[in-house]
Amino acid sequence: GAVVSQHPSRVICKSGTSVKIECRSLDFQATTMFWYRQFPKQSLMLMATSNEGSKATYEQGVEKDKFLINHASLTLSTLTVTSAHPEDSSFYICSAGPTSVETQYFGPGTRLLVL
Amino acid sequence: AQSVTQLGSHVSVSEGALVLLRCNYSSSVPPYLFWYVQYPNQGLQLLLKYTTGATLVKGINGFEAEFKKSETSFHLTKPSAHMSDAAEYFCAVSSNTGGFKTIFGAGTRLFVKA
């Protein structure tokens, strides 16, 4: 099956710094990728839809200036958490699917801890 | 709009017993339905999916689910639970009209007792 990777798998940063998380589709091209956030013992909440070559579409309540998304190529989307604060600590997961295929493949997730 | 409701945040079964995890969905368009499993500190693994065709779908690790349109349900079952099945299970819905944006249920934690 299709493979999606994320880097880094874990990151610890100080409050006020910015953190970039990469999501890559390794064996297929993805015009659309999705970013989710998961708090401990909770479900995945969709944050935004990342579109190659255009602006991301954010879900209601998600600050687009805080969570910058760039979809630079058909195999790479990045999520940058700007001026991170402890409340941004979470598990961030991306997903991607080959064009016209309904199944999304999920990355292994990135654990962010902001001190 | 689409939504998913998983009945029961925690389910406990004995090893060898039937596993039944309940999922109901709401969708104004034909839905695509999924079950995912998540082990601690890991990403999601697809167990099975329904898109079109046969309403009883079989997945990995002996799991299966049946799409019942009249009941708007997609319950997950496994005849005999194994200790390794203990994990968090998520039901999810998407559609091609929504650009395959996936909406997840709250999740059900499955405990398997020896």
Side-chain angles (χ1 to χ4, degrees), chain A residues 53-72:
Chain A
S54 65
K55 292 183 178 180
T57 304
Y58 291 82
E59 296 299 303
Q60 190 173 9
V62 177
E63 299 177 62
K64 60 182 179 182
D65 294 331
K66 181 166 187 62
F67 298 99
L68 300 179
I69 292 173
N70 183 273
H71 197 142

Side-chain angles (χ1 to χ4, degrees), chain B residues 1 5-6 12 15-17 32 55 58 65 81 86 101:
Chain B
T5 302
Q6 290 184 241
S12 181
E15 191 172 23
Y32 297 148
T55 57
K58 296 184 183 298
K101 184 167 68 174

Side-chain angles (χ1 to χ4, degrees), chain B residues 20-97:
Chain B
L20 171 60
L21 304 183
R22 300 178 185 274
C23 172
N24 288 89
Y25 70 91
S26 174
S27 179
S28 58
V29 297
Y32 297 148
L33 295 160
F34 308 84
W35 275 100
Y36 291 92
V37 61
Q38 185 181 36
Y39 296 97
N41 297 311
Q42 295 187 27
L44 300 179
Q45 181 180 11
L46 179 66
L47 281 177
L48 49 79
K49 65 180 180 181
Y50 167 80
T51 52
T52 58
T55 57
L56 180 63
V57 293
K58 296 184 183 298
I60 62 172
N61 301 339
F63 285 94
E64 63 181 39
E66 186 171 10
F67 169 60
K68 292 187 176 180
K69 185 177 180 180
S70 61
E71 299 178 6
T72 61
S73 69
F74 191 58
H75 302 329
L76 181 70
T77 61
K78 182 175 181 178
S80 177
H82 192 272
M83 296 297 288
S84 61
D85 294 327
E88 187 84 20
Y89 291 80
F90 293 99
C91 181
V93 63
S94 74
S95 70
N96 58 3
T97 56

